[in-house]
Amino acid sequence: MNSQEEVIDFVINGHKDYLPHVSIDSVIFGYHHQQLKILLLKWIGHIGWGLPGGFIKRREPLTDAAYRILKERTRLSDLFLQQFHVFGDSPYRAQERSPAEFREKYGAVTSEDNWLFQRTLSIGYFALVDYSKVDITTDFFTNDFYWCDVNEVPFLLFDQNEVVEMALKMLRLAIYHQPIGYNLLPEKFTIPEIHSLYQTILGKELDQRNFSKKLLTLGLIKKLDERRSIGPHRSPYLYQFDKANYEEALKEGIVHTY
Amino acid sequence: MNSQEEVIDFVINGHKDYLPHVSIDSVIFGYHHQQLKILLLKWIGHIGWGLPGGFIKRREPLTDAAYRILKERTRLSDLFLQQFHVFGDSPYRAQERSPAEFREKYGAVTSEDNWLFQRTLSIGYFALVDYSKVDITTDFFTNDFYWCDVNEVPFLLFDQNEVVEMALKMLRLAIYHQPIGYNLLPEKFTIPEIHSLYQTILGKELDQRNFSKKLLTLGLIKKLDERRSIGPHRSPYLYQFDKANYEEALKEGIVHTY
DNA sequence: CCAAAAGTGTTGGGATTACACCCATGT
DNA sequence: ACATGGGTGTAATCCCAACACTTTTGG
């Protein structure tokens, strides 16, 4: 969506293609160089930053919509994506918005009952990506983006600070129940790499010996007979996720602590 | 909603009061006499049983809507109610429904684009109630109800079997993270009572000694200096939830197994 | 006194934690 | 040779699971 015409058409006719009253907000966690960040977009006409999101097509399965929205933004498919909450309580989510606002901001005339300004619930999804591999697309509505450290999130649009907080909480809960990392690490990775990933997500230190013991005991990863060369240091062994056990654990859940 | 007029008005004009495209489905778990059941309703015009549910008012916070729908049905407020998933993937949730169907079933004429027949996502909530204390209300759409054992759920409308399964899974997950029981037990209860509640929910046996030790260690309950007289048997001590710790655990979560 | 249900403690094994030194590698 | 980061084992503790007999009560 890049030309002014497309945008006007989306505003005027979007309700024919998309469901009104429901949107998807994605908290895209990016991991790279031992930092956990989230993707924020500059929505034009608003001061401040907001989350990526979108609408669901009229006949599109919900999960497909979530993947599509993510893919349009990041060009990635096949990543860890999980629904975590529906937001519909904050004043921003219970009231209508003003079309007058839109007129001012985008210079377009809309009717009072335009679909975009009616009350909209938001379904929160979180995703995990390696942000160095992502090619972020902007469009007419969003002319800038940045990766923001999870510990330094600025004031966001609407109730989105609450969305981010909840996403982080659910991610940290999820990591105790599901294996995480498949989409954030190269296919073959070292213990220090996955160790540091988990530490970053949980925001706390994990004993290195105990950590690798645990992952191996759970059967989630297996040691390979190869090493990675990392410059002037001892070469770490490479590991791989044990696909069968990983899938099993994703489905059945794990009960443990790290 | 009991008269035919009210119903017709709801069908024709409901979209002025309620959000289209989104509904709430409630899985109401009822516990009594060591049995875990769910509330099913007979929706007229459909063969088979379905879940209670409803729509969200245009300006109503989502959580309020969930409580209102539950209260209209059970006359209970102040109970354990938790959002657990949004359903929008099954063919039933991705397609429109046919107004012709409605004409046949209810004898009312509706336009092709009536709000009730458009695609509707459903937000799943589960609740825990003591079903002996509940006074179920039926209405024009639902002329019968029954409490169905969770192990004997029949084929339900649309994708609702999936909803029930997920609810049960989430309830069993929740019981490991949050204290549960406040709304299902009298204010003062005995260890055998709460023990049996947990066994029923989890569908498995829990060692009595370890179980009470665990609850006391966690500080969730405290022993009172009273006993309950239960006929020709030894009188069990009464316990109470420790409100402060219970609330804390609800908010912060618990990591443990039983 | 009998039947039914409640109450109560200990132990062994497994898991978790805490902890520090040597090894490998490229420059 | 050295600086940097990787790899490895053990001991103490805690937590969990398993287990059975005695007490209380009303009829």
Side-chain angles (χ1 to χ4, degrees), chain B residues 146-197:
Chain B
Y146 88 109
W147 287 98
C148 165
D149 193 286
V150 291
N151 301 307
E152 295 162 11
V153 179
F155 283 112
L156 302 179
L157 299 180
F158 315 129
D159 61 345
Q160 296 184 353
N161 286 90
E162 193 190 327
V163 176
V164 170
E165 251 173 67
M166 179 77 105
L168 197 54
K169 190 173 147 191
M170 297 303 258
L171 169 61
R172 286 176 177 161
L173 187 66
I175 209 174
Y176 289 112
H177 287 280
Q178 300 172 12
I180 280 183
Y182 189 77
N183 305 285
L184 295 184
L185 293 170
E187 187 176 357
K188 299 173 181 182
F189 52 85
T190 66
I191 293 287
E193 281 167 351
I194 192 172
H195 178 226
S196 140
L197 167 66

Side-chain angles (χ1 to χ4, degrees), chain A residues 122-185:
Chain A
S122 173
I123 305 175
Y125 277 80
F126 69 84
L128 297 177
V129 305
D130 177 340
Y131 79 80
S132 69
K133 294 196 187 132
V134 168
D135 171 20
I136 302 297
T137 309
T138 60
D139 60 20
F140 181 88
F141 283 113
T142 55
N143 58 9
D144 197 9
F145 71 90
Y146 87 110
W147 287 98
C148 166
D149 193 286
V150 290
N151 301 306
E152 295 162 11
V153 178
F155 284 110
L156 302 180
L157 300 179
F158 315 127
D159 60 346
Q160 295 185 354
N161 286 90
E162 194 190 326
V163 177
V164 170
E165 253 174 66
M166 179 78 104
L168 197 52
K169 191 173 145 189
M170 297 303 258
L171 169 61
R172 286 176 176 161
L173 188 65
I175 208 174
Y176 287 112
H177 286 281
Q178 300 172 11
I180 280 183
Y182 188 77
N183 305 285
L184 295 185
L185 294 171

Side-chain angles (χ1 to χ4, degrees), chain A residues 164-226:
Chain A
V164 170
E165 253 174 66
M166 179 78 104
L168 197 52
K169 191 173 145 189
M170 297 303 258
L171 169 61
R172 286 176 176 161
L173 188 65
I175 208 174
Y176 287 112
H177 286 281
Q178 300 172 11
I180 280 183
Y182 188 77
N183 305 285
L184 295 185
L185 294 171
E187 187 177 356
K188 298 172 181 183
F189 52 87
T190 67
I191 292 287
E193 282 167 351
I194 191 171
H195 179 226
S196 143
L197 167 66
Y198 273 67
Q199 287 192 147
T200 305
I201 290 177
L202 289 172
K204 66 181 185 195
E205 301 217 327
L206 302 169
D207 183 271
Q208 51 178 317
R209 282 170 281 198
N210 299 334
F211 178 79
S212 57
K213 241 182 289 173
K214 185 65 171 264
L215 253 48
L216 285 165
T217 305
L218 287 171
L220 290 179
I221 60 173
K222 51 191 184 192
K223 193 172 186 170
L224 301 175
D225 223 8
E226 300 169 64

